[in-house]
Amino acid sequence: MTISKVTRRSFFLTSTAALAALAVPAFALTDAQAKSLIDRAVTDINKVIASGKPLNTMIRDFEKIFAKYADVNVIARSALGPDARGLSSSQSRAYTKAFQGYIARKYGKRFNEFVGGQIEVQGVRKVKSFHEVKALARLRGQSPFEVNFLVSDRSGSSKFFDMIIEGISLRLSEKSEIGAMLDKNRGDINGLIADLKKAG
């Protein structure tokens, strides 16, 4: 075999190996990793619930938790739907930030219902390309209800991209809400952003 053939063969094998490494993620998300992410998120949420802080402070704390553990960009773009593809970079950043604050205010206001209660992680299962982490919310004077988190690492890091509260998807319910706001603003994304900053 000539040197040129050896060189070509070595190059082909090296290139093939490199492409294979790119095609397969080095670290696939496991059940344990998905559960660990939600364990940490729930621990942080329970600390806020038990803190006794004023509601506005609790909402700010919840926004930090949401930004840390949720794939805010995916949730925000999913809620906006096809219109998200037409956003400029500055509009996308402004919309995502406004959406994050809106979600924090909307769901954070429910902390008063959780005072004296807590959320408990129950288990995890693999579902197609993501993991579902099941949790149970135990509130004073109410029957426990399920809060399930859908977790993926497809965006580059482990985050939850949906939260199912008593069978209702946060992403799907917010898609309806955001769609109504956008219609109200006759498709004007800047008007939507302004409304999101006040809503929740």
Coordinates of all heavy atoms in Angstrom, one line a residue, residues 11-97:
F11 N -7.2 9.5 6.9 CA -8.0 10.7 6.9 C -9.5 10.3 6.9 O -10.3 10.9 7.6 CB -7.7 11.6 5.6 CG -8.6 12.7 5.5 CD1 -8.4 13.9 6.2 CD2 -9.7 12.7 4.5 CE1 -9.3 15.0 6.1 CE2 -10.5 13.8 4.4 CZ -10.3 14.9 5.2
F12 N -9.9 9.3 6.0 CA -11.2 8.9 5.9 C -11.7 8.3 7.3 O -12.8 8.7 7.8 CB -11.4 7.8 4.9 CG -12.8 7.2 4.8 CD1 -13.8 7.9 4.2 CD2 -13.0 5.9 5.4 CE1 -15.1 7.3 4.2 CE2 -14.3 5.4 5.3 CZ -15.3 6.1 4.7
L13 N -10.9 7.5 7.9 CA -11.3 6.9 9.2 C -11.5 8.0 10.3 O -12.4 8.0 11.1 CB -10.3 5.8 9.6 CG -10.3 4.6 8.8 CD1 -9.1 3.7 9.2 CD2 -11.6 3.8 8.9
T14 N -10.5 8.9 10.3 CA -10.5 10.0 11.3 C -11.8 10.9 11.1 O -12.4 11.2 12.1 CB -9.3 10.8 11.2 OG1 -8.1 10.0 11.4 CG2 -9.2 11.9 12.3
S15 N -12.0 11.2 9.9 CA -13.2 12.1 9.6 C -14.5 11.4 9.9 O -15.4 12.0 10.5 CB -13.2 12.4 8.1 OG -12.0 13.1 7.7
T16 N -14.6 10.1 9.6 CA -15.8 9.3 9.9 C -16.0 9.3 11.4 O -17.1 9.4 11.9 CB -15.7 7.9 9.3 OG1 -15.5 7.9 7.9 CG2 -17.0 7.1 9.6
A17 N -15.0 9.0 12.2 CA -15.1 9.0 13.6 C -15.5 10.3 14.2 O -16.3 10.4 15.1 CB -13.7 8.6 14.2
A18 N -15.0 11.4 13.6 CA -15.3 12.7 14.1 C -16.8 13.1 13.8 O -17.5 13.6 14.6 CB -14.4 13.8 13.4
L19 N -17.3 12.7 12.6 CA -18.7 12.9 12.3 C -19.6 12.1 13.2 O -20.6 12.6 13.6 CB -18.9 12.6 10.8 CG -18.3 13.5 9.8 CD1 -18.5 12.9 8.4 CD2 -19.1 14.9 9.8
A20 N -19.2 10.9 13.5 CA -20.0 10.0 14.3 C -20.1 10.6 15.7 O -21.1 10.6 16.4 CB -19.4 8.6 14.4
A21 N -19.0 11.2 16.2 CA -19.0 11.9 17.5 C -19.9 13.1 17.5 O -20.6 13.3 18.5 CB -17.5 12.3 17.9
L22 N -19.9 13.8 16.4 CA -20.8 15.0 16.3 C -22.3 14.5 16.3 O -23.2 15.2 16.8 CB -20.5 15.8 15.1 CG -19.2 16.6 15.2 CD1 -18.9 17.2 13.8 CD2 -19.3 17.7 16.2
A23 N -22.5 13.4 15.6 CA -23.9 13.0 15.4 C -24.6 12.5 16.7 O -25.8 12.5 16.9 CB -24.0 11.9 14.3
V24 N -23.7 11.9 17.6 CA -24.3 11.3 18.8 C -23.8 12.2 20.0 O -22.7 12.4 20.2 CB -23.7 9.9 19.0 CG1 -24.3 9.3 20.3 CG2 -24.1 9.0 17.8
P25 N -24.8 12.7 20.8 CA -24.4 13.5 22.0 C -23.5 12.8 22.9 O -23.6 11.6 23.1 CB -25.8 13.8 22.7 CG -26.8 13.5 21.6 CD -26.2 12.5 20.7
A26 N -22.5 13.5 23.4 CA -21.5 12.8 24.3 C -22.2 12.4 25.6 O -21.9 11.3 26.2 CB -20.4 13.8 24.6
F27 N -23.1 13.1 26.1 CA -23.8 12.8 27.3 C -25.3 12.9 27.1 O -25.9 14.0 26.9 CB -23.4 13.8 28.4 CG -21.9 13.8 28.7 CD1 -21.1 14.8 28.2 CD2 -21.4 12.8 29.5 CE1 -19.8 14.7 28.5 CE2 -20.0 12.7 29.7 CZ -19.2 13.7 29.2
A28 N -26.0 11.8 27.0 CA -27.5 11.7 26.9 C -28.1 11.9 28.3 O -27.6 11.4 29.3 CB -27.9 10.4 26.3
L29 N -29.1 12.7 28.4 CA -29.8 13.0 29.6 C -30.3 11.7 30.2 O -31.0 10.9 29.5 CB -30.9 14.0 29.4 CG -31.7 14.4 30.7 CD1 -30.8 15.2 31.6 CD2 -32.9 15.3 30.3
T30 N -30.1 11.4 31.5 CA -30.6 10.2 32.1 C -31.8 10.5 33.1 O -32.0 11.7 33.4 CB -29.5 9.6 33.0 OG1 -29.1 10.5 34.1 CG2 -28.2 9.3 32.1
D31 N -32.5 9.5 33.5 CA -33.6 9.7 34.4 C -33.1 10.4 35.7 O -33.7 11.3 36.2 CB -34.2 8.3 34.8 CG -35.2 7.8 33.8 OD1 -35.5 8.5 32.8 OD2 -35.6 6.6 34.0
A32 N -31.9 9.9 36.2 CA -31.3 10.5 37.4 C -31.0 12.0 37.3 O -31.2 12.7 38.2 CB -30.1 9.7 37.8
Q33 N -30.5 12.4 36.1 CA -30.1 13.8 35.9 C -31.4 14.6 35.8 O -31.4 15.7 36.3 CB -29.3 13.9 34.6 CG -27.9 13.3 34.8 CD -27.2 13.2 33.4 OE1 -27.8 13.1 32.4 NE2 -25.9 13.3 33.4
A34 N -32.4 14.1 35.1 CA -33.7 14.9 35.0 C -34.3 15.0 36.4 O -34.8 16.1 36.7 CB -34.6 14.1 34.1
K35 N -34.3 14.0 37.2 CA -34.9 14.0 38.5 C -34.1 15.0 39.4 O -34.6 15.7 40.2 CB -35.0 12.6 39.1 CG -35.6 12.6 40.5 CD -35.7 11.2 41.0 CE -36.4 11.2 42.4 NZ -35.6 11.9 43.5
S36 N -32.8 14.9 39.3 CA -31.9 15.8 40.1 C -32.2 17.3 39.8 O -32.2 18.1 40.7 CB -30.4 15.5 39.8 OG -29.6 16.4 40.5
L37 N -32.4 17.6 38.5 CA -32.7 19.0 38.1 C -34.0 19.5 38.8 O -34.0 20.5 39.4 CB -32.9 19.1 36.6 CG -33.4 20.5 36.1 CD1 -32.2 21.4 36.0 CD2 -34.1 20.4 34.8
I38 N -35.0 18.6 38.8 CA -36.3 19.0 39.4 C -36.3 19.0 40.9 O -36.9 19.8 41.6 CB -37.5 18.2 38.8 CG1 -37.5 18.3 37.3 CG2 -38.8 18.5 39.4 CD1 -37.7 19.7 36.8
D39 N -35.5 18.1 41.4 CA -35.3 18.0 42.9 C -34.7 19.4 43.4 O -35.2 20.0 44.4 CB -34.2 16.9 43.3 CG -34.9 15.6 43.4 OD1 -36.1 15.5 43.7 OD2 -34.2 14.6 43.3
R40 N -33.7 19.9 42.6 CA -33.1 21.2 43.0 C -34.1 22.3 42.8 O -34.2 23.2 43.6 CB -31.9 21.5 42.1 CG -30.8 20.5 42.4 CD -29.4 21.0 41.8 NE -29.5 21.2 40.4 CZ -29.3 20.3 39.4 NH1 -29.0 19.1 39.8 NH2 -29.3 20.7 38.2
A41 N -34.9 22.3 41.7 CA -35.9 23.3 41.4 C -37.0 23.3 42.5 O -37.3 24.4 43.1 CB -36.5 23.1 40.1
V42 N -37.4 22.2 42.9 CA -38.5 22.0 43.9 C -38.0 22.5 45.3 O -38.7 23.1 46.0 CB -39.0 20.6 43.9 CG1 -39.8 20.3 45.2 CG2 -39.9 20.3 42.7
T43 N -36.7 22.1 45.6 CA -36.1 22.6 46.8 C -36.1 24.1 46.9 O -36.5 24.7 47.9 CB -34.7 22.0 47.0 OG1 -34.7 20.6 47.0 CG2 -34.0 22.6 48.2
D44 N -35.7 24.7 45.8 CA -35.7 26.2 45.8 C -37.1 26.8 45.9 O -37.3 27.8 46.6 CB -35.0 26.7 44.5 CG -33.5 26.5 44.5 OD1 -33.0 26.0 45.5 OD2 -32.9 26.7 43.4
I45 N -38.1 26.2 45.2 CA -39.4 26.6 45.3 C -40.0 26.5 46.7 O -40.6 27.4 47.3 CB -40.4 25.9 44.3 CG1 -40.0 26.3 42.9 CG2 -41.8 26.2 44.6 CD1 -40.6 25.4 41.8
N46 N -39.7 25.4 47.3 CA -40.2 25.1 48.7 C -39.6 26.1 49.7 O -40.2 26.6 50.7 CB -39.9 23.7 49.2 CG -40.8 22.7 48.6 OD1 -42.0 23.0 48.2 ND2 -40.4 21.5 48.4
K47 N -38.3 26.5 49.5 CA -37.7 27.5 50.3 C -38.4 28.9 50.2 O -38.6 29.6 51.2 CB -36.2 27.7 49.9 CG -35.3 26.6 50.4 CD -33.9 26.8 50.0 CE -32.9 25.7 50.4 NZ -31.6 25.9 49.8
V48 N -38.8 29.2 49.0 CA -39.5 30.5 48.8 C -40.9 30.4 49.5 O -41.3 31.4 50.1 CB -39.7 30.8 47.3 CG1 -40.6 32.0 47.1 CG2 -38.3 31.0 46.6
I49 N -41.6 29.3 49.3 CA -42.9 29.1 49.9 C -42.8 29.3 51.4 O -43.7 29.9 52.1 CB -43.5 27.7 49.6 CG1 -43.8 27.7 48.1 CG2 -44.7 27.5 50.4 CD1 -44.1 26.2 47.6
A50 N -41.7 28.7 52.0 CA -41.6 28.8 53.5 C -40.9 30.0 54.0 O -40.8 30.2 55.2 CB -40.8 27.5 54.0
S51 N -40.5 30.9 53.1 CA -39.7 32.1 53.6 C -40.4 33.1 54.3 O -39.8 33.9 55.1 CB -39.0 32.7 52.3 OG -40.1 33.3 51.5
G52 N -41.8 33.2 54.1 CA -42.5 34.3 54.8 C -42.3 35.7 54.2 O -42.7 36.7 54.8
K53 N -41.7 35.7 53.1 CA -41.4 37.0 52.4 C -42.7 37.6 51.9 O -43.6 36.9 51.6 CB -40.4 36.8 51.3 CG -39.0 36.4 51.7 CD -38.1 36.2 50.5 CE -36.7 35.8 50.9 NZ -35.8 35.5 49.7
P54 N -42.7 39.0 51.6 CA -43.8 39.6 51.0 C -44.0 39.0 49.6 O -43.0 38.5 49.0 CB -43.4 41.1 50.9 CG -42.4 41.2 51.9 CD -41.6 39.9 52.0
L55 N -45.2 39.0 49.1 CA -45.6 38.4 47.8 C -44.7 38.9 46.7 O -44.2 38.1 45.8 CB -47.1 38.5 47.5 CG -47.5 37.9 46.2 CD1 -47.3 36.4 46.2 CD2 -49.0 38.2 45.9
N56 N -44.5 40.2 46.6 CA -43.7 40.8 45.5 C -42.3 40.2 45.5 O -41.7 40.0 44.4 CB -43.7 42.3 45.5 CG -45.0 42.9 45.1 OD1 -45.8 42.3 44.4 ND2 -45.2 44.1 45.5
T57 N -41.7 40.0 46.7 CA -40.4 39.5 46.8 C -40.4 38.0 46.4 O -39.4 37.5 45.7 CB -39.8 39.6 48.2 OG1 -39.9 41.0 48.6 CG2 -38.4 39.1 48.3
M58 N -41.4 37.3 46.8 CA -41.5 35.9 46.4 C -41.6 35.7 44.9 O -41.0 34.8 44.3 CB -42.7 35.2 47.1 CG -42.6 35.1 48.6 SD -44.2 34.6 49.4 CE -44.2 32.9 49.0
I59 N -42.3 36.6 44.2 CA -42.5 36.6 42.8 C -41.1 36.8 42.1 O -40.8 36.2 41.1 CB -43.5 37.7 42.3 CG1 -44.9 37.2 42.7 CG2 -43.4 37.9 40.8 CD1 -46.0 38.2 42.4
R60 N -40.3 37.8 42.6 CA -39.0 38.0 42.1 C -38.1 36.8 42.2 O -37.3 36.4 41.3 CB -38.3 39.2 42.7 CG -38.9 40.6 42.3 CD -38.0 41.7 42.7 NE -37.8 41.9 44.1 CZ -38.7 42.6 44.8 NH1 -39.7 43.2 44.3 NH2 -38.4 42.7 46.1
D61 N -38.2 36.1 43.4 CA -37.5 34.9 43.6 C -37.9 33.8 42.7 O -37.1 33.0 42.2 CB -37.6 34.4 45.1 CG -36.9 35.3 46.1 OD1 -36.1 36.1 45.7 OD2 -37.3 35.2 47.3
F62 N -39.2 33.7 42.4 CA -39.7 32.7 41.5 C -39.2 32.9 40.1 O -38.9 32.0 39.4 CB -41.2 32.7 41.5 CG -41.8 31.7 40.6 CD1 -41.7 30.3 40.8 CD2 -42.5 32.1 39.5 CE1 -42.2 29.4 39.9 CE2 -43.1 31.2 38.6 CZ -42.9 29.8 38.8
E63 N -39.1 34.2 39.7 CA -38.6 34.5 38.4 C -37.2 34.0 38.2 O -36.8 33.5 37.2 CB -38.7 36.0 38.1 CG -38.2 36.3 36.7 CD -38.4 37.8 36.3 OE1 -39.0 38.5 37.1 OE2 -38.0 38.2 35.1
K64 N -36.4 34.2 39.3 CA -35.0 33.7 39.2 C -35.0 32.1 39.1 O -34.1 31.6 38.3 CB -34.2 34.1 40.5 CG -34.0 35.6 40.6 CD -33.3 35.9 41.9 CE -33.2 37.4 42.1 NZ -32.7 37.8 43.5
I65 N -35.9 31.5 39.8 CA -35.9 30.0 39.7 C -36.4 29.6 38.3 O -35.8 28.7 37.7 CB -36.9 29.5 40.8 CG1 -36.4 29.7 42.2 CG2 -37.2 28.0 40.6 CD1 -37.4 29.4 43.3
F66 N -37.4 30.3 37.8 CA -37.9 30.0 36.4 C -36.7 30.1 35.4 O -36.5 29.3 34.5 CB -39.1 30.9 36.1 CG -39.7 30.6 34.8 CD1 -40.3 29.3 34.6 CD2 -39.8 31.5 33.8 CE1 -41.0 29.1 33.4 CE2 -40.4 31.3 32.6 CZ -41.0 30.0 32.4
A67 N -36.0 31.2 35.5 CA -34.9 31.5 34.6 C -33.8 30.5 34.7 O -33.1 30.1 33.7 CB -34.4 32.9 34.8
K68 N -33.6 30.0 35.9 CA -32.5 29.0 36.2 C -32.8 27.6 35.7 O -32.0 26.9 35.1 CB -32.2 29.0 37.7 CG -31.0 28.1 38.1 CD -30.7 28.2 39.5 CE -29.6 27.2 40.0 NZ -29.3 27.4 41.4
Y69 N -34.0 27.1 35.9 CA -34.4 25.7 35.7 C -35.2 25.5 34.4 O -35.3 24.4 33.9 CB -35.1 25.1 36.9 CG -34.2 25.1 38.1 CD1 -34.4 26.0 39.2 CD2 -33.2 24.2 38.2 CE1 -33.6 26.0 40.3 CE2 -32.4 24.1 39.4 CZ -32.6 25.0 40.4 OH -31.8 25.0 41.5
A70 N -35.9 26.5 33.9 CA -36.8 26.3 32.8 C -36.1 26.8 31.5 O -35.2 27.7 31.5 CB -38.1 27.2 32.9
D71 N -36.5 26.1 30.4 CA -36.0 26.5 29.1 C -36.9 27.7 28.6 O -37.8 27.5 27.8 CB -36.0 25.4 28.1 CG -35.1 25.6 26.9 OD1 -34.9 26.7 26.5 OD2 -34.5 24.6 26.4
V72 N -36.6 28.8 29.1 CA -37.5 30.0 28.9 C -37.7 30.3 27.4 O -38.8 30.6 26.9 CB -37.1 31.2 29.7 CG1 -38.0 32.4 29.5 CG2 -36.9 30.9 31.2
N73 N -36.6 30.2 26.7 CA -36.6 30.6 25.3 C -37.5 29.6 24.5 O -38.3 30.1 23.7 CB -35.2 30.5 24.7 CG -35.1 31.0 23.2 OD1 -35.6 32.1 22.9 ND2 -34.6 30.2 22.4
V74 N -37.4 28.3 24.8 CA -38.3 27.3 24.1 C -39.7 27.5 24.5 O -40.6 27.5 23.6 CB -37.8 25.9 24.5 CG1 -38.9 24.9 24.1 CG2 -36.5 25.6 23.8
I75 N -40.0 27.8 25.7 CA -41.4 27.9 26.2 C -42.0 29.2 25.6 O -43.1 29.2 25.1 CB -41.5 28.0 27.7 CG1 -41.0 26.7 28.3 CG2 -42.9 28.3 28.2 CD1 -40.8 26.7 29.9
A76 N -41.2 30.3 25.6 CA -41.7 31.6 25.1 C -42.0 31.5 23.6 O -43.0 31.9 23.1 CB -40.6 32.7 25.4
R77 N -41.0 30.9 22.8 CA -41.2 30.8 21.4 C -42.4 29.8 21.0 O -43.1 30.1 20.1 CB -39.9 30.3 20.7 CG -38.8 31.3 20.8 CD -37.5 30.8 20.0 NE -37.7 30.8 18.6 CZ -37.6 31.8 17.8 NH1 -37.2 33.0 18.3 NH2 -37.7 31.7 16.5
S78 N -42.5 28.8 21.8 CA -43.6 27.8 21.6 C -45.0 28.5 21.8 O -45.9 28.3 21.1 CB -43.5 26.6 22.5 OG -44.6 25.8 22.4
A79 N -45.0 29.4 22.9 CA -46.2 30.1 23.2 C -46.6 31.1 22.1 O -47.8 31.3 21.8 CB -46.1 30.9 24.5
L80 N -45.6 31.7 21.4 CA -45.8 32.6 20.4 C -46.2 32.0 19.0 O -46.9 32.5 18.2 CB -44.6 33.5 20.2 CG -44.7 34.7 19.2 CD1 -45.9 35.6 19.6 CD2 -43.4 35.5 19.2
G81 N -45.7 30.7 18.9 CA -46.0 30.0 17.6 C -45.2 30.4 16.4 O -44.1 31.0 16.6
P82 N -45.7 30.3 15.2 CA -45.0 30.6 14.0 C -44.5 32.1 13.9 O -43.5 32.4 13.3 CB -46.1 30.4 12.9 CG -47.0 29.4 13.5 CD -47.1 29.7 15.0
D83 N -45.2 33.0 14.6 CA -44.8 34.4 14.6 C -43.4 34.6 15.2 O -42.7 35.6 14.9 CB -45.8 35.3 15.4 CG -47.1 35.4 14.7 OD1 -47.2 36.2 13.7 OD2 -48.0 34.7 15.1
A84 N -42.9 33.6 16.0 CA -41.6 33.7 16.6 C -40.5 33.7 15.6 O -39.4 34.3 15.8 CB -41.4 32.5 17.6
R85 N -40.7 33.1 14.4 CA -39.7 33.0 13.4 C -39.4 34.3 12.7 O -38.4 34.5 12.1 CB -40.1 32.0 12.3 CG -40.1 30.5 12.8 CD -40.2 29.5 11.6 NE -41.5 29.6 11.0 CZ -42.5 28.8 11.3 NH1 -42.4 27.9 12.3 NH2 -43.7 28.9 10.6
G86 N -40.4 35.3 12.8 CA -40.2 36.6 12.1 C -39.6 37.6 13.0 O -39.5 38.8 12.6
L87 N -39.3 37.3 14.3 CA -38.7 38.3 15.2 C -37.3 38.6 14.9 O -36.5 37.7 14.5 CB -38.8 37.7 16.6 CG -40.2 37.4 17.2 CD1 -40.0 37.0 18.7 CD2 -41.1 38.5 17.1
S88 N -36.9 39.9 15.1 CA -35.5 40.3 15.0 C -34.8 39.8 16.3 O -35.5 39.4 17.2 CB -35.4 41.8 14.8 OG -35.9 42.4 16.0
S89 N -33.5 39.9 16.3 CA -32.8 39.4 17.5 C -33.2 40.3 18.7 O -33.4 39.8 19.8 CB -31.3 39.6 17.4 OG -30.9 39.4 16.1
S90 N -33.3 41.6 18.5 CA -33.7 42.5 19.7 C -35.1 42.2 20.1 O -35.4 42.2 21.3 CB -33.5 44.0 19.3 OG -34.3 44.3 18.2
Q91 N -36.0 42.0 19.2 CA -37.4 41.7 19.5 C -37.5 40.3 20.3 O -38.2 40.2 21.2 CB -38.3 41.6 18.2 CG -38.6 43.0 17.7 CD -39.5 42.8 16.4 OE1 -39.3 41.9 15.6 NE2 -40.4 43.7 16.2
S92 N -36.7 39.4 19.8 CA -36.7 38.0 20.4 C -36.3 38.1 21.9 O -36.9 37.6 22.8 CB -35.8 37.1 19.7 OG -35.8 35.8 20.2
R93 N -35.2 38.9 22.1 CA -34.7 39.1 23.5 C -35.7 39.8 24.4 O -36.0 39.4 25.5 CB -33.4 39.9 23.5 CG -32.2 39.1 23.0 CD -30.9 39.8 23.3 NE -30.8 41.1 22.6 CZ -30.3 41.3 21.4 NH1 -29.9 40.2 20.7 NH2 -30.3 42.5 20.8
A94 N -36.3 40.9 23.8 CA -37.3 41.7 24.6 C -38.5 40.8 24.9 O -39.1 40.9 26.0 CB -37.7 42.9 23.8
Y95 N -39.0 40.1 23.9 CA -40.2 39.3 24.1 C -39.9 38.2 25.1 O -40.7 38.0 26.0 CB -40.6 38.6 22.7 CG -41.6 37.5 22.9 CD1 -42.9 37.6 23.4 CD2 -41.1 36.1 22.7 CE1 -43.7 36.6 23.6 CE2 -42.0 35.1 22.9 CZ -43.3 35.3 23.4 OH -44.1 34.2 23.6
T96 N -38.8 37.5 25.0 CA -38.5 36.4 26.0 C -38.4 36.9 27.4 O -38.9 36.3 28.4 CB -37.2 35.7 25.6 OG1 -37.3 35.2 24.3 CG2 -36.8 34.5 26.5
K97 N -37.7 38.1 27.6 CA -37.6 38.7 28.9 C -39.0 39.1 29.4 O -39.3 38.9 30.6 CB -36.7 40.0 28.8 CG -36.5 40.7 30.1 CD -35.7 39.8 31.1 CE -35.4 40.5 32.4 NZ -34.8 39.6 33.4

